[in-house]
Amino acid sequence: MKLILCWLGIWIFCVGLFAQNTKDNSSYLFDEFQDCLIVYKDGRQFTAPVNYDLIKKHYVFKDPEQQEKEFSDPELIAVLRIGNRSFLIGKQEAVEVIQAQPKFNVIYTGDTRRAPKKISYGGTTQTASVDNYSGLTGTGLSGGIQDAQR
């Protein structure tokens, strides 16, 4: 019986280890920078490693010194070609052209969490409702709304 419980405990421990999320929570659309052909509206073409930052909502590229930079005039870019995929520069979003006729695009956006709200005794929370408060003052109850997050 003890042997069975021991093996059961080892099995639960091992399953727990393999169930952990090992994915890196990157803020980029691609896992790593992709070689990209950048085509400008005036016909100029350049190549550079490019990725899309989902949090800051803009494309970034690596210069020859491997420093990450963003485009100074993204509205002058006609299309970004990454492999056989085409991307447009949208307003605050990454737009992939799936099909030209009829027009079919995919928009990539990132999910962000709210900043933690302050609670009593210097703590913070992202799940509890702490937008209002009440208390006893003098002989009656008073209520109100907390100040905006600082």
Side-chain angles (χ1 to χ4, degrees):
M1 184 66 170
K2 289 182 183 180
L3 184 62
I4 293 173
L5 288 176
C6 181
W7 281 109
L8 182 63
I10 292 172
W11 180 77
I12 289 173
F13 178 74
C14 290
V15 168
L17 285 178
F18 291 112
Q20 300 299 316
N21 184 7
T22 58
K23 185 180 180 210
D24 182 25
N25 291 329
S26 173
S27 65
Y28 289 116
L29 178 61
F30 304 111
D31 291 335
E32 52 191 48
F33 279 75
Q34 304 290 317
D35 290 330
C36 176
L37 175 66
I38 305 155
V39 181
Y40 282 82
K41 291 179 181 175
D42 62 2
R44 293 180 293 157
Q45 295 184 359
F46 299 98
T47 57
V50 172
N51 211 333
Y52 183 76
D53 191 336
L54 293 164
I55 304 300
K56 295 179 183 175
K57 299 181 179 178
H58 63 262
Y59 285 95
V60 291
F61 68 94
K62 286 190 176 181
D63 66 358
E65 288 95 35
Q66 297 299 312
Q67 292 180 343
E68 293 181 13
K69 297 184 177 182
E70 63 180 276
F71 295 102
S72 60
D73 294 321
E75 63 274 356
L76 298 178
I77 297 174
V79 68
L80 299 168
R81 293 211 171 99
I82 300 173
N84 59 355
R85 301 168 72 180
S86 297
F87 290 87
L88 302 174
I89 305 255
K91 295 183 180 181
Q92 302 292 316
E93 58 206 14
V95 180
E96 181 179 2
V97 178
I98 301 295
Q99 176 176 307
Q101 287 297 348
K103 185 177 178 181
F104 185 72
N105 296 340
V106 175
I107 299 172
Y108 296 97
T109 58
D111 291 333
T112 57
R113 289 188 275 175
R114 288 182 169 164
K117 296 179 182 179
K118 294 180 181 178
I119 58 174
S120 59
Y121 301 107
T124 59
T125 182
Q126 290 180 316
T127 56
S129 176
V130 292
D131 289 337
N132 53 34
Y133 66 95
S134 63
L136 291 170
T137 59
T139 59
L141 288 171
S142 68
I145 307 252
Q146 286 183 340
D147 291 340
Q149 294 287 330
R150 294 180 185 170

